[in-house]
Amino acid sequence: MKVLKYLLHLLQLGLIYLVYLMDDLYKNHLGFMRNVSFYSHKVDSSAFGSKLFLLPLVLVLIALLLAIRKRGLESSILLILGAIFLIWQTIFRLETTPIYYLVSSILCLGFLLQLLIVSLKRS
C-alpha cells in the first residue's frame, strides 16, 4: 500500500509539471492553441461550463468531511487541494487564462488522486 501511495504522490507531482507543459504548448504551438481555444469556448458556452463552479464546492465539502473523519496529513493535503481548486475556479476566468479548463481538469485530477490516497488510509 505504501508503494501505491508514493506512486500516486509522484503522479501528483507529474500533474504540476503538466500545467507548465500545457502552458508551454499553448504559447508555442499554433495548432494546439487553436484547438484549446475552440474547445474552451465550446465548453464555456455549454450547460456544463455554466455549472462548473459547483464542482470545487462539492469537492471542498467532501474534503472537509473526510478531514474531520480521518485526521492526518493526507486529509489536510486533500483539503488544501480542494481549496486551491476552489480559489482557481473563483479568481481566474477563461478570458484571462486561455488554458483555464485544462488547468481546472488537472487540479480536479490531482484532487481525485489525493482522494484515492485518503480513502486507502486506514481509519
Side-chain angles (χ1 to χ4, degrees):
M1 276 306 181
K2 283 191 174 190
V3 174
L4 180 63
K5 285 183 185 180
Y6 290 130
L7 181 66
L8 291 174
H9 281 300
L10 282 175
L11 282 172
Q12 286 178 326
L13 289 174
L15 289 175
I16 293 171
Y17 173 70
L18 190 62
V19 171
Y20 293 110
L21 181 66
M22 290 297 141
D23 187 46
D24 184 52
L25 282 172
Y26 185 82
K27 289 178 182 174
N28 296 322
H29 297 285
L30 186 61
F32 184 76
M33 182 177 68
R34 286 182 189 157
N35 285 335
V36 168
S37 295
F38 174 74
Y39 286 112
S40 292
H41 288 291
K42 195 172 183 176
V43 168
D44 195 42
S45 63
S46 70
F48 174 74
S50 64
K51 301 206 180 13
L52 189 63
F53 71 93
L54 293 174
L55 180 63
L57 289 174
V58 171
L59 293 180
V60 166
L61 287 176
I62 290 170
L64 190 61
L65 291 174
L66 284 174
I68 291 170
R69 197 171 131 229
K70 294 184 177 186
R71 297 178 190 257
L73 179 64
E74 289 89 6
S75 299
S76 300
I77 293 172
L78 180 69
L79 193 57
I80 290 169
L81 280 173
I84 289 171
F85 186 36
L86 181 63
I87 290 168
W88 170 261
Q89 289 288 93
T90 55
I91 291 178
F92 295 100
R93 293 281 159 227
L94 180 61
E95 295 80 25
T96 59
T97 309
I99 57 170
Y100 173 77
Y101 288 111
L102 286 174
V103 175
S104 293
S105 62
I106 291 170
L107 288 173
C108 186
L109 186 59
F111 181 89
L112 294 176
L113 285 174
Q114 188 64 32
L115 184 63
L116 182 63
I117 291 170
V118 170
S119 65
L120 290 175
K121 182 182 173 187
R122 295 183 185 186
S123 299

